[in-house]
Every structure is written in C-alpha cells, then in structure tokens.
Amino acid sequence: MALQLHSLMAFTLIVITISCTSRVQSIGVNWGTTASHPLPPSKVVELLKINKITKVKLFDSNPQVLESLSGSNIGVTVGIPNSMLHTLNSSVKAAESWVHDNLTRYLPDRTRIEYIAVGDEPFLQTYGSQFYPFVVGAAINIEAALIRAKLANKVKVVIPCSFDAFQSESGVPSKGHFRSDINKTMISVLKFLSKTQSPFFVSISPFLSYYQNKNISLDFALYKPTAHSHNDSHRSYKNSFELSYDTLITALTVAGFSQIDIVISQIGWPTDGAPNATVSNAEVFTKGLLDHFRSKKGTPLRPRTMPIEIYLHTLLDEDQRNITAGNFERHWGLFTFDGQAKYQVDFDQGTKRLVNAQNVEYLASRWCVVNNNLNISNATAHATEACINADCTALSPGSSCFNLSWPGNVSYAFNSYYQQHDQRADSCDFGGLGMITTVDPSVGNCRFNVELKVSFSDSFHGSNFHHYLVSFVTTILVLQRL
C-alpha cells in the first residue's frame, strides 16, 4: 500500500511537472497594416500559412484582413484602437454595435477569433491619462456585448499592457511594481481578467530596455552567454527578458494576482533605424528568445512555468508607423514590407527556413534620383521636404543608409517620396532636380525600394511629425555633405 501511494505521488508530481513545462501553446506574430503600400491581406495569410504561423494579433478589425483570415484556422486577436475607448466606455450600445460589426459576421465557423484586445497599450507612459481611464469600462461593455451575442464562451476580452506599466527603480525584479499613476486602474484590470478567466496581455521589450537604460548591455539584451549576469539576492539573471518578466511577476504578486496566466503580446528586435537595430542582432535575439521558451526552463521566479503564448513583433515592416519613440519603429518586421524574410526563424521546430511571399506584384523597376548634371546646391531643401512626406528612417545614425554620401542620401529621399506616390512622373520633379532611372541605385545594405502595386485599398497615415522630421532630416543631410 505504501509503495502504491509512493508511486501515485511520484506520478502526480510528474504530471504536475509536465503541465508546468508545457504552457507555451504557440508562438504567433503581430500583423500591423500601417503602411503606404501594404502587402495584400491574401498574400499575408499565404505567408502565415506557408510558414506554419498559427496565431496572429491585429491592431484593429479591418474587414479585408478578417475576411482574408476566413477558413485559415489561424487564431486571431482582434484589436480595438485607443481612439474608440471613450465611446465604448460610455455606451453599451456602441459595444454591441462593435461586436456585431466586427465579430458576429465572422463567427462562429469562418474566422477563428480568440481574443478582443481592448486598446493598443493604453497604459503607455507617453499617453499620460489620455486613454487608460476608459479601458476597464470599455472592456466591461465589450464583455456584456459578447454575452448578449452568446460569444463570451468563444472569445476572451483582454487589455494589452505596455512594457513601461511596471517598473523597479532599483533595477531588481524583487522590487517590481506597477506605476503609481496607473496602479488603481491596473488592479481593476486584473480583477476583470480574473473574473472572466482571461490572460494578462503584456509587451516586453529587451531592445527598448537596452536603448533607454545604460545599465543593460547589448549582450545581456541579446541572450548572449558572454553577458554579465544581474543578481537579485540569491537569484541570477542572465538576460534582459528574464529580468523584465520577473519584475512583472513581482508587480502582479504585490497586486494580489500572482497566478494569472500571461501572454507576451509584443516582443521583438528591430532591424534598422537605430544603432544596433540590425538584421544580425535581430536574428541572434529571436533565436535566443525562441530557444528560451522551448527549453521550458522558465525564469528564476517562475521556474518551469512559461507564458501561455508569445507574439513576435512584427510580421512585416510598416513605413507609416508612428516614430515618436524612434525611427526603428518602422523596422520591427521578421519580413520586409514585401514579404521577404530578413533572417531565419524556426516557428515549427521542423521548418528550417522561412519562406518568402510568392508572386508579389511591384510597381515598375524605376527609381527617382538626383540629376548630378544640374546645379544641386539646393537639393537638401527638396530632400527634407520629401522626407516629411515619405520614409527616410533608414538614413538615421547607425542605420542601413546612414553612410550614403551626399548627394546619394538626397537620391534616397527623392526615391522614397517617388515610390510612396505611386511613381507618378510629377513626384520626381523636385524643382527639376529629380531624374527617373531604370538602374537600381541601391548600395550595399542600403536598399532603394520599389513599392508594391496597391491592391489593398486602405492606407494608414500616422500623425504629422513635420517639425521633428525637418530637424532630423536636415541635420543628417547637412552632416553627410560635410
């Protein structure tokens, strides 16, 4: 009898251990569409399927995107933009209308919608109190609308939390807590999630931790074994992800929700737009991250316990993303804007190489460059104006095109404007200084793009950054002319 009891206890321990070490259900990606010439949704879904990516998180509920996901069997998180939070917080009828328009028509048998993400990181510190006071009320009303539509047992409501919503002034995880300005709201968020049995969606950004914190080394952020460990009492941290994750665990524990399931809703490494935002670093980071999750070893505070899902940020580069945080914001993609893999990631543990998007349709092989046969002394002013209305983030310090000499950087600016304006002849004028060529002016890693044919009608235009861009572009062009 004692032997049987011992055997049963041993078996139970094994089952518990297996369940704790098998919590990563899947690895997904964020799919944003803030691009001047987005890859058609049907092509993106083909890209997801051929690379065996089974989960995707959206930032809105664009009907063309949701329709393209119909029948794909890809698990979908639909996003509600921050701009809608006030309305949804104020009106149950608005929430019911949103659910009807954005969920009911796609469920239950067509598009596999699993989560509704209320807000796009509304707790970001840079937003102040612009959005977060409305997020819990909006979530409650969306949940009520799901119940009324008999969808609450199929779709979970979640609230994405930004990487800066939790912190530790001393830099050690054991002192982690939620920011004081949002702590009360965060408690309400966690109560709502616990009541509805929904996971806690949170972004973690080793790149931004490195970018903004001089105490985080590049090797520590990149999972490199040569990195100097960070110690917190008897616990040793070997990489930035573990440090951030356990800071979050402490914050959740202090708030009284230590056992809530966690989904990493955004994590990645950009490939351009800042020093050390490179393809090689992104590959090292992503492989280190996936190896960490697949090892099932957890973190010092949660050994053998993993987030239930992770979403790599992002699938594709987006040339119109908001760049307030930095020019790298337009270069998070695993793939370039046209669906070409930047580096190799193994999503399926059997697929050795990422597969590129197939049969992509481009505009004609034409570029706009500066005409060196003319007096181009005034070219910098035209280039500055071009960059205000196009994407010149690759020209920023440490980026792929920063080493272009003048007037090569002027040509880059001209071409960016020309492509974003569909290669119209008048978009390569620039006071007569522009010239259309069929010879690719790309140099080394600096790629002069040819844009896609627009078959996806929606274009997304971010906020106006004229003052910032004028200063940024003029400085670069002047310095490189010297």
Side-chain angles (χ1 to χ4, degrees), residues 263-289:
V263 169
I264 305 300
S265 55
Q266 284 189 202
I267 187 167
W269 196 279
T271 58
D272 211 345
N276 293 309
T278 64
V279 169
S280 59
N281 282 344
E283 182 170 22
V284 169
F285 171 78
T286 307
K287 287 183 175 179
L289 173 69

PDB file of all heavy atoms in Angstrom, residues 263-289:
ATOM      1  N   VAL A 263       0.297  36.293 -21.325  1.00  0.00           N
ATOM      2  CA  VAL A 263       0.590  36.230 -22.758  1.00  0.00           C
ATOM      3  C   VAL A 263       1.534  37.387 -23.083  1.00  0.00           C
ATOM      4  O   VAL A 263       1.235  38.543 -22.751  1.00  0.00           O
ATOM      5  CB  VAL A 263      -0.687  36.349 -23.612  1.00  0.00           C
ATOM      6  CG1 VAL A 263      -0.343  36.551 -25.088  1.00  0.00           C
ATOM      7  CG2 VAL A 263      -1.564  35.110 -23.446  1.00  0.00           C
ATOM      8  N   ILE A 264       2.670  37.072 -23.692  1.00  0.00           N
ATOM      9  CA  ILE A 264       3.574  38.136 -24.162  1.00  0.00           C
ATOM     10  C   ILE A 264       3.035  38.616 -25.499  1.00  0.00           C
ATOM     11  O   ILE A 264       3.166  37.946 -26.523  1.00  0.00           O
ATOM     12  CB  ILE A 264       5.026  37.631 -24.304  1.00  0.00           C
ATOM     13  CG1 ILE A 264       5.511  37.018 -22.991  1.00  0.00           C
ATOM     14  CG2 ILE A 264       5.940  38.784 -24.729  1.00  0.00           C
ATOM     15  CD1 ILE A 264       5.504  37.948 -21.812  1.00  0.00           C
ATOM     16  N   SER A 265       2.408  39.777 -25.493  1.00  0.00           N
ATOM     17  CA  SER A 265       1.675  40.243 -26.674  1.00  0.00           C
ATOM     18  C   SER A 265       2.559  40.962 -27.688  1.00  0.00           C
ATOM     19  O   SER A 265       2.169  41.110 -28.846  1.00  0.00           O
ATOM     20  CB  SER A 265       0.542  41.179 -26.243  1.00  0.00           C
ATOM     21  OG  SER A 265       1.038  42.248 -25.457  1.00  0.00           O
ATOM     22  N   GLN A 266       3.733  41.416 -27.268  1.00  0.00           N
ATOM     23  CA  GLN A 266       4.682  42.053 -28.190  1.00  0.00           C
ATOM     24  C   GLN A 266       6.089  41.831 -27.677  1.00  0.00           C
ATOM     25  O   GLN A 266       6.404  42.171 -26.544  1.00  0.00           O
ATOM     26  CB  GLN A 266       4.446  43.572 -28.293  1.00  0.00           C
ATOM     27  CG  GLN A 266       3.256  43.979 -29.112  1.00  0.00           C
ATOM     28  CD  GLN A 266       3.197  45.479 -29.360  1.00  0.00           C
ATOM     29  OE1 GLN A 266       2.143  46.030 -29.648  1.00  0.00           O
ATOM     30  NE2 GLN A 266       4.322  46.141 -29.264  1.00  0.00           N
ATOM     31  N   ILE A 267       6.937  41.277 -28.526  1.00  0.00           N
ATOM     32  CA  ILE A 267       8.362  41.177 -28.204  1.00  0.00           C
ATOM     33  C   ILE A 267       9.119  41.000 -29.515  1.00  0.00           C
ATOM     34  O   ILE A 267       8.693  40.249 -30.396  1.00  0.00           O
ATOM     35  CB  ILE A 267       8.642  40.015 -27.217  1.00  0.00           C
ATOM     36  CG1 ILE A 267      10.113  40.053 -26.766  1.00  0.00           C
ATOM     37  CG2 ILE A 267       8.262  38.654 -27.800  1.00  0.00           C
ATOM     38  CD1 ILE A 267      10.406  39.163 -25.559  1.00  0.00           C
ATOM     39  N   GLY A 268      10.215  41.710 -29.663  1.00  0.00           N
ATOM     40  CA  GLY A 268      10.977  41.606 -30.899  1.00  0.00           C
ATOM     41  C   GLY A 268      12.224  42.470 -30.864  1.00  0.00           C
ATOM     42  O   GLY A 268      12.589  43.030 -29.821  1.00  0.00           O
ATOM     43  N   TRP A 269      12.870  42.566 -32.022  1.00  0.00           N
ATOM     44  CA  TRP A 269      14.089  43.379 -32.163  1.00  0.00           C
ATOM     45  C   TRP A 269      14.075  44.001 -33.547  1.00  0.00           C
ATOM     46  O   TRP A 269      13.978  43.296 -34.545  1.00  0.00           O
ATOM     47  CB  TRP A 269      15.331  42.511 -31.990  1.00  0.00           C
ATOM     48  CG  TRP A 269      16.583  43.311 -31.746  1.00  0.00           C
ATOM     49  CD1 TRP A 269      17.358  43.931 -32.692  1.00  0.00           C
ATOM     50  CD2 TRP A 269      17.196  43.589 -30.478  1.00  0.00           C
ATOM     51  NE1 TRP A 269      18.414  44.583 -32.094  1.00  0.00           N
ATOM     52  CE2 TRP A 269      18.341  44.378 -30.728  1.00  0.00           C
ATOM     53  CE3 TRP A 269      16.888  43.242 -29.161  1.00  0.00           C
ATOM     54  CZ2 TRP A 269      19.181  44.825 -29.704  1.00  0.00           C
ATOM     55  CZ3 TRP A 269      17.720  43.681 -28.141  1.00  0.00           C
ATOM     56  CH2 TRP A 269      18.856  44.461 -28.422  1.00  0.00           C
ATOM     57  N   PRO A 270      14.172  45.338 -33.647  1.00  0.00           N
ATOM     58  CA  PRO A 270      14.133  45.981 -34.959  1.00  0.00           C
ATOM     59  C   PRO A 270      15.429  45.762 -35.739  1.00  0.00           C
ATOM     60  O   PRO A 270      16.476  45.445 -35.162  1.00  0.00           O
ATOM     61  CB  PRO A 270      13.943  47.458 -34.612  1.00  0.00           C
ATOM     62  CG  PRO A 270      14.566  47.611 -33.254  1.00  0.00           C
ATOM     63  CD  PRO A 270      14.319  46.303 -32.546  1.00  0.00           C
ATOM     64  N   THR A 271      15.350  45.968 -37.043  1.00  0.00           N
ATOM     65  CA  THR A 271      16.487  45.690 -37.921  1.00  0.00           C
ATOM     66  C   THR A 271      17.068  46.940 -38.582  1.00  0.00           C
ATOM     67  O   THR A 271      17.998  46.830 -39.386  1.00  0.00           O
ATOM     68  CB  THR A 271      16.069  44.708 -39.026  1.00  0.00           C
ATOM     69  OG1 THR A 271      14.974  45.291 -39.767  1.00  0.00           O
ATOM     70  CG2 THR A 271      15.627  43.366 -38.451  1.00  0.00           C
ATOM     71  N   ASP A 272      16.547  48.102 -38.259  1.00  0.00           N
ATOM     72  CA  ASP A 272      17.042  49.337 -38.873  1.00  0.00           C
ATOM     73  C   ASP A 272      16.512  50.516 -38.061  1.00  0.00           C
ATOM     74  O   ASP A 272      15.683  50.358 -37.172  1.00  0.00           O
ATOM     75  CB  ASP A 272      16.578  49.439 -40.336  1.00  0.00           C
ATOM     76  CG  ASP A 272      17.567  50.185 -41.224  1.00  0.00           C
ATOM     77  OD1 ASP A 272      18.468  50.861 -40.681  1.00  0.00           O
ATOM     78  OD2 ASP A 272      17.438  50.088 -42.468  1.00  0.00           O
ATOM     79  N   GLY A 273      17.037  51.696 -38.333  1.00  0.00           N
ATOM     80  CA  GLY A 273      16.513  52.904 -37.720  1.00  0.00           C
ATOM     81  C   GLY A 273      17.201  53.351 -36.449  1.00  0.00           C
ATOM     82  O   GLY A 273      16.836  54.368 -35.859  1.00  0.00           O
ATOM     83  N   ALA A 274      18.227  52.610 -35.992  1.00  0.00           N
ATOM     84  CA  ALA A 274      18.959  52.984 -34.780  1.00  0.00           C
ATOM     85  C   ALA A 274      20.237  52.165 -34.711  1.00  0.00           C
ATOM     86  O   ALA A 274      20.316  51.087 -35.306  1.00  0.00           O
ATOM     87  CB  ALA A 274      18.113  52.744 -33.522  1.00  0.00           C
ATOM     88  N   PRO A 275      21.251  52.642 -33.986  1.00  0.00           N
ATOM     89  CA  PRO A 275      22.444  51.817 -33.784  1.00  0.00           C
ATOM     90  C   PRO A 275      22.063  50.495 -33.114  1.00  0.00           C
ATOM     91  O   PRO A 275      21.244  50.464 -32.199  1.00  0.00           O
ATOM     92  CB  PRO A 275      23.309  52.682 -32.845  1.00  0.00           C
ATOM     93  CG  PRO A 275      22.854  54.079 -33.100  1.00  0.00           C
ATOM     94  CD  PRO A 275      21.389  53.981 -33.371  1.00  0.00           C
ATOM     95  N   ASN A 276      22.654  49.415 -33.589  1.00  0.00           N
ATOM     96  CA  ASN A 276      22.422  48.053 -33.085  1.00  0.00           C
ATOM     97  C   ASN A 276      21.034  47.508 -33.408  1.00  0.00           C
ATOM     98  O   ASN A 276      20.691  46.399 -32.980  1.00  0.00           O
ATOM     99  CB  ASN A 276      22.691  47.958 -31.581  1.00  0.00           C
ATOM    100  CG  ASN A 276      24.155  48.166 -31.253  1.00  0.00           C
ATOM    101  OD1 ASN A 276      25.019  47.527 -31.841  1.00  0.00           O
ATOM    102  ND2 ASN A 276      24.437  49.081 -30.335  1.00  0.00           N
ATOM    103  N   ALA A 277      20.221  48.284 -34.138  1.00  0.00           N
ATOM    104  CA  ALA A 277      18.995  47.730 -34.711  1.00  0.00           C
ATOM    105  C   ALA A 277      19.384  47.168 -36.082  1.00  0.00           C
ATOM    106  O   ALA A 277      19.278  47.846 -37.108  1.00  0.00           O
ATOM    107  CB  ALA A 277      17.920  48.801 -34.845  1.00  0.00           C
ATOM    108  N   THR A 278      19.894  45.935 -36.071  1.00  0.00           N
ATOM    109  CA  THR A 278      20.421  45.320 -37.287  1.00  0.00           C
ATOM    110  C   THR A 278      19.810  43.950 -37.498  1.00  0.00           C
ATOM    111  O   THR A 278      19.274  43.335 -36.564  1.00  0.00           O
ATOM    112  CB  THR A 278      21.949  45.168 -37.206  1.00  0.00           C
ATOM    113  OG1 THR A 278      22.260  44.247 -36.140  1.00  0.00           O
ATOM    114  CG2 THR A 278      22.635  46.502 -36.937  1.00  0.00           C
ATOM    115  N   VAL A 279      19.921  43.457 -38.706  1.00  0.00           N
ATOM    116  CA  VAL A 279      19.403  42.131 -39.034  1.00  0.00           C
ATOM    117  C   VAL A 279      20.116  41.059 -38.223  1.00  0.00           C
ATOM    118  O   VAL A 279      19.483  40.139 -37.682  1.00  0.00           O
ATOM    119  CB  VAL A 279      19.545  41.856 -40.548  1.00  0.00           C
ATOM    120  CG1 VAL A 279      19.260  40.384 -40.860  1.00  0.00           C
ATOM    121  CG2 VAL A 279      18.607  42.759 -41.345  1.00  0.00           C
ATOM    122  N   SER A 280      21.431  41.180 -38.101  1.00  0.00           N
ATOM    123  CA  SER A 280      22.191  40.154 -37.384  1.00  0.00           C
ATOM    124  C   SER A 280      21.813  40.130 -35.902  1.00  0.00           C
ATOM    125  O   SER A 280      21.647  39.047 -35.312  1.00  0.00           O
ATOM    126  CB  SER A 280      23.697  40.384 -37.549  1.00  0.00           C
ATOM    127  OG  SER A 280      24.071  41.668 -37.064  1.00  0.00           O
ATOM    128  N   ASN A 281      21.635  41.293 -35.282  1.00  0.00           N
ATOM    129  CA  ASN A 281      21.226  41.324 -33.881  1.00  0.00           C
ATOM    130  C   ASN A 281      19.804  40.794 -33.700  1.00  0.00           C
ATOM    131  O   ASN A 281      19.510  40.107 -32.715  1.00  0.00           O
ATOM    132  CB  ASN A 281      21.321  42.743 -33.319  1.00  0.00           C
ATOM    133  CG  ASN A 281      22.743  43.145 -32.984  1.00  0.00           C
ATOM    134  OD1 ASN A 281      23.636  42.309 -32.886  1.00  0.00           O
ATOM    135  ND2 ASN A 281      22.968  44.438 -32.824  1.00  0.00           N
ATOM    136  N   ALA A 282      18.923  41.138 -34.624  1.00  0.00           N
ATOM    137  CA  ALA A 282      17.546  40.643 -34.549  1.00  0.00           C
ATOM    138  C   ALA A 282      17.506  39.123 -34.640  1.00  0.00           C
ATOM    139  O   ALA A 282      16.735  38.465 -33.932  1.00  0.00           O
ATOM    140  CB  ALA A 282      16.699  41.268 -35.658  1.00  0.00           C
ATOM    141  N   GLU A 283      18.342  38.561 -35.486  1.00  0.00           N
ATOM    142  CA  GLU A 283      18.382  37.102 -35.620  1.00  0.00           C
ATOM    143  C   GLU A 283      18.889  36.450 -34.339  1.00  0.00           C
ATOM    144  O   GLU A 283      18.321  35.466 -33.850  1.00  0.00           O
ATOM    145  CB  GLU A 283      19.265  36.705 -36.804  1.00  0.00           C
ATOM    146  CG  GLU A 283      19.313  35.209 -37.041  1.00  0.00           C
ATOM    147  CD  GLU A 283      19.988  34.849 -38.352  1.00  0.00           C
ATOM    148  OE1 GLU A 283      20.770  35.675 -38.877  1.00  0.00           O
ATOM    149  OE2 GLU A 283      19.731  33.744 -38.864  1.00  0.00           O
ATOM    150  N   VAL A 284      19.961  37.010 -33.768  1.00  0.00           N
ATOM    151  CA  VAL A 284      20.509  36.467 -32.518  1.00  0.00           C
ATOM    152  C   VAL A 284      19.460  36.544 -31.412  1.00  0.00           C
ATOM    153  O   VAL A 284      19.246  35.585 -30.658  1.00  0.00           O
ATOM    154  CB  VAL A 284      21.786  37.231 -32.111  1.00  0.00           C
ATOM    155  CG1 VAL A 284      22.203  36.861 -30.684  1.00  0.00           C
ATOM    156  CG2 VAL A 284      22.919  36.934 -33.086  1.00  0.00           C
ATOM    157  N   PHE A 285      18.786  37.693 -31.302  1.00  0.00           N
ATOM    158  CA  PHE A 285      17.786  37.870 -30.252  1.00  0.00           C
ATOM    159  C   PHE A 285      16.625  36.893 -30.421  1.00  0.00           C
ATOM    160  O   PHE A 285      16.216  36.228 -29.459  1.00  0.00           O
ATOM    161  CB  PHE A 285      17.238  39.295 -30.240  1.00  0.00           C
ATOM    162  CG  PHE A 285      16.062  39.457 -29.329  1.00  0.00           C
ATOM    163  CD1 PHE A 285      16.233  39.569 -27.956  1.00  0.00           C
ATOM    164  CD2 PHE A 285      14.765  39.448 -29.837  1.00  0.00           C
ATOM    165  CE1 PHE A 285      15.148  39.675 -27.113  1.00  0.00           C
ATOM    166  CE2 PHE A 285      13.670  39.557 -28.991  1.00  0.00           C
ATOM    167  CZ  PHE A 285      13.868  39.676 -27.630  1.00  0.00           C
ATOM    168  N   THR A 286      16.082  36.823 -31.619  1.00  0.00           N
ATOM    169  CA  THR A 286      14.893  35.992 -31.842  1.00  0.00           C
ATOM    170  C   THR A 286      15.194  34.517 -31.618  1.00  0.00           C
ATOM    171  O   THR A 286      14.390  33.798 -31.008  1.00  0.00           O
ATOM    172  CB  THR A 286      14.333  36.229 -33.256  1.00  0.00           C
ATOM    173  OG1 THR A 286      14.116  37.634 -33.459  1.00  0.00           O
ATOM    174  CG2 THR A 286      13.012  35.501 -33.455  1.00  0.00           C
ATOM    175  N   LYS A 287      16.351  34.071 -32.078  1.00  0.00           N
ATOM    176  CA  LYS A 287      16.724  32.672 -31.835  1.00  0.00           C
ATOM    177  C   LYS A 287      16.925  32.409 -30.347  1.00  0.00           C
ATOM    178  O   LYS A 287      16.514  31.361 -29.824  1.00  0.00           O
ATOM    179  CB  LYS A 287      17.984  32.315 -32.626  1.00  0.00           C
ATOM    180  CG  LYS A 287      17.727  32.183 -34.125  1.00  0.00           C
ATOM    181  CD  LYS A 287      18.984  31.761 -34.884  1.00  0.00           C
ATOM    182  CE  LYS A 287      18.663  31.514 -36.355  1.00  0.00           C
ATOM    183  NZ  LYS A 287      19.866  31.127 -37.139  1.00  0.00           N
ATOM    184  N   GLY A 288      17.540  33.362 -29.640  1.00  0.00           N
ATOM    185  CA  GLY A 288      17.716  33.215 -28.201  1.00  0.00           C
ATOM    186  C   GLY A 288      16.390  33.166 -27.471  1.00  0.00           C
ATOM    187  O   GLY A 288      16.192  32.357 -26.550  1.00  0.00           O
ATOM    188  N   LEU A 289      15.459  34.028 -27.888  1.00  0.00           N
ATOM    189  CA  LEU A 289      14.133  34.056 -27.273  1.00  0.00           C
ATOM    190  C   LEU A 289      13.404  32.730 -27.474  1.00  0.00           C
ATOM    191  O   LEU A 289      12.871  32.145 -26.520  1.00  0.00           O
ATOM    192  CB  LEU A 289      13.316  35.203 -27.878  1.00  0.00           C
ATOM    193  CG  LEU A 289      11.849  35.280 -27.462  1.00  0.00           C
ATOM    194  CD1 LEU A 289      11.721  35.678 -26.003  1.00  0.00           C
ATOM    195  CD2 LEU A 289      11.079  36.249 -28.361  1.00  0.00           C
TER     196      LEU A 289
END
